Amino acid sequence: MHLFIRSDLARLAAYTPHPEAVELSIAMDRLDTNECPYDLPLELKHKLMGQYQTQIEANRYPDGGHGALKAAIAAYVAESVPNDSLLDAPWISVGNGSDELIRSLLIATCLGGEGSILVADPTFSMYAILAQTLGIPIVNIGRDDQFAMDLAAAQGAVARNQAAEPPVRVVFVVHPNSPTGNVLTLAEQDWLVSLPEDILVVIDEAYFEFSQTSLVSLLPQHPNWVILRTFSKAFRLAAHRIGYAIAHPDLIQVLEKVRLPYNLPAISQAAALLALNHRQSLLATLPEVWAERDRLYQNLKSYTQLRHWPSRANFLYIQSPERADLGAELKALGTSVREAGGGLRITVGTPTENDHTLARLHQILR
């Protein structure tokens, strides 16, 4: 490694979005990244391209303040909040995917030795990866056999680290968790409420549309909370990389200070606005996802070799103690899944893809 590169980066492995595929002569069902299995409808693609041709000037920078998009996102979020007057555009920050927002939060809180983060494993790996790239310490705690956080360990870690250097400045949770699909328990929510205001609580609701459960109504009472969401899942816009944060305006102003200027291309902003304007049709596939998720789960229960758990997201999590290479065997047959936390995360695909998953599991485990 070059001498001018930080020495600790030599020990860091880059995030692998799509594990290198085995050279196969068969089509691959890509069930490893929790995307919506359906593309944006052709009619909406044509509308988006029409906007690019007639409304977007390619030689001009995009709207750096995301004004129209923030207002539209706030209106969408407010639909699930009892008092919608509490949430408007100043409560929203937009990022180039949720990853940029996570990185901005870390820069704003922990950089320069000012703090560490707490995560409960297994969970979304980018919290730790982004912290490592910034030289930020990570405090790891475990989960029980239903993947609820070890709250005694969490409370102990926070207490110890508040008296140490650097103290815990950020707690990351996912609701529902990835890769395991479980939502936050009432005990976990109570613990988050109990944390002092000098700790930032990041609640990642990337799978909100699938779970239909959110803590956004509690934000006005908790200025140290931020909720993250994305257009990459249920809204079918993974290619456009659009994430957003919902938080008290004072915290949003800090995020606006540290984000890169013109961070979201004009075409991505237009795509997000288009998706919000057509959300009823785009989200009409949610009942199918729920039904297919339940069908997969019920079929998985018939395999005694597998450990399996219910899910509130658009994926299922299994472990195969007796078959360590199950993920590779599935890929060899044409189904790509994600290995995480000692198990496999399987995205709910189309009915046909799910049929393939079940048939291939039967072929391997029969």
Side-chain angles (χ1 to χ4, degrees):
M1 180 175 282
H2 294 293
L3 295 178
F4 50 78
I5 302 297
R6 277 173 30 209
S7 59
D8 62 309
L9 290 185
R11 301 185 296 274
L12 178 63
Y15 179 80
T16 307
H18 284 279
E20 293 185 12
V22 180
E23 293 296 328
L24 297 170
S25 59
I26 59 175
M28 183 70 69
D29 291 340
R30 292 164 55 184
L31 306 182
D32 59 340
T33 48
N34 298 344
E35 301 144 330
C36 178
Y38 299 112
D39 197 355
L40 202 65
L42 195 57
E43 174 190 359
L44 295 189
K45 283 189 172 184
H46 287 160
K47 286 186 178 182
L48 186 59
M49 289 304 100
Q51 290 183 37
Y52 187 79
Q53 291 171 338
T54 61
Q55 299 175 29
I56 295 176
E57 298 175 279
N59 61 314
R60 305 295 183 190
Y61 287 110
D63 175 7
H66 317 125
L69 181 54
K70 285 181 179 180
I73 290 172
Y76 169 62
V77 172
E79 292 176 357
S80 60
V81 179
N83 186 353
D84 59 8
S85 65
L86 293 173
L87 289 177
D88 52 14
W91 289 73
I92 306 296
S93 184
V94 183
N96 194 285
S98 295
D99 292 344
E100 183 191 21
L101 292 163
I102 294 166
R103 193 170 189 271
S104 292
L105 289 167
L106 291 172
I107 290 171
T109 55
C110 298
L111 203 61
E114 294 207 9
S116 59
I117 70 168
L118 185 143
V119 295
D121 290 322
T123 195
F124 183 42
S125 61
M126 284 306 297
Y127 308 135
I129 291 174
L130 289 170
Q132 286 176 312
T133 65
L134 296 170
I136 293 170
I138 303 151
V139 178
N140 299 96
I141 62 166
R143 296 176 180 268
D144 65 21
D145 58 2
Q146 296 301 311
F147 301 112
M149 296 167 58
D150 184 341
L151 293 180
Q155 186 60 36
V158 168
R160 285 193 303 275
N161 281 269
Q162 294 311 93
E165 292 293 338
V168 170
R169 283 277 183 257
V170 187
V171 172
F172 283 98
V173 296
V174 197
H175 182 56
N177 187 48
S178 177
T180 55
N182 55 302
V183 296
L184 289 167
T185 65
L186 291 178
E188 289 170 325
Q189 294 178 38
D190 289 343
W191 180 70
L192 296 177
V193 168
S194 75
L195 289 173
E197 289 194 1
D198 60 355
I199 294 179
L200 176 67
V201 176
V202 181
I203 304 164
D204 193 335
E205 293 186 351
Y207 305 98
F208 158 68
E209 285 77 15
F210 301 108
S211 71
Q212 295 293 296
T213 180
S214 173
L215 300 185
V216 71
S217 64
L218 301 180
L219 279 181
Q221 291 79 48
H222 299 286
N224 62 318
W225 284 20
V226 57
I227 287 178
L228 301 180
R229 291 188 185 170
T230 181
F231 284 83
S232 295
K233 309 300 182 182
F235 278 105
R236 316 185 195 185
L237 294 180
H240 288 276
R241 304 299 297 128
I242 311 151
Y244 60 97
I246 318 162
H248 192 278
D250 289 346
L251 180 52
I252 293 298
Q253 288 180 14
V254 174
L255 284 175
E256 294 295 290
K257 289 179 181 180
V258 299
R259 73 168 173 84
L260 294 173
Y262 308 114
N263 61 326
L264 198 63
I267 191 67
S268 292
Q269 295 187 49
L273 284 166
L274 186 70
L276 287 171
N277 289 334
H278 292 83
R279 57 183 175 272
Q280 288 187 334
S281 62
L282 290 179
L283 300 180
T285 58
L286 289 177
E288 178 187 291
V289 173
W290 298 329
E292 286 295 299
R293 179 187 65 198
D294 294 343
R295 181 170 74 95
L296 281 172
Y297 177 68
Q298 292 302 323
N299 278 273
L300 289 172
K301 288 168 68 175
S302 65
Y303 294 104
T304 57
Q305 309 98 310
L306 300 179
R307 298 188 69 197
H308 41 74
W309 291 266
S311 169
R312 293 289 296 276
N314 67 326
F315 54 82
L316 288 166
Y317 187 67
I318 63 172
Q319 290 179 347
S320 178
E322 301 173 9
R323 207 164 190 119
D325 295 329
L326 181 59
E329 292 178 279
L330 281 169
K331 180 177 288 187
L333 293 174
T335 294
S336 180
V337 298
R338 185 75 176 180
E339 297 188 15
L344 299 177
R345 190 191 66 196
I346 305 173
T347 305
V348 178
T350 64
T352 298
E353 289 172 332
N354 299 331
D355 287 341
H356 292 166
T357 298
L358 292 172
R360 289 160 183 165
L361 279 170
H362 180 70
Q363 182 177 341
I364 296 167
L365 299 174
R366 63 187 175 189

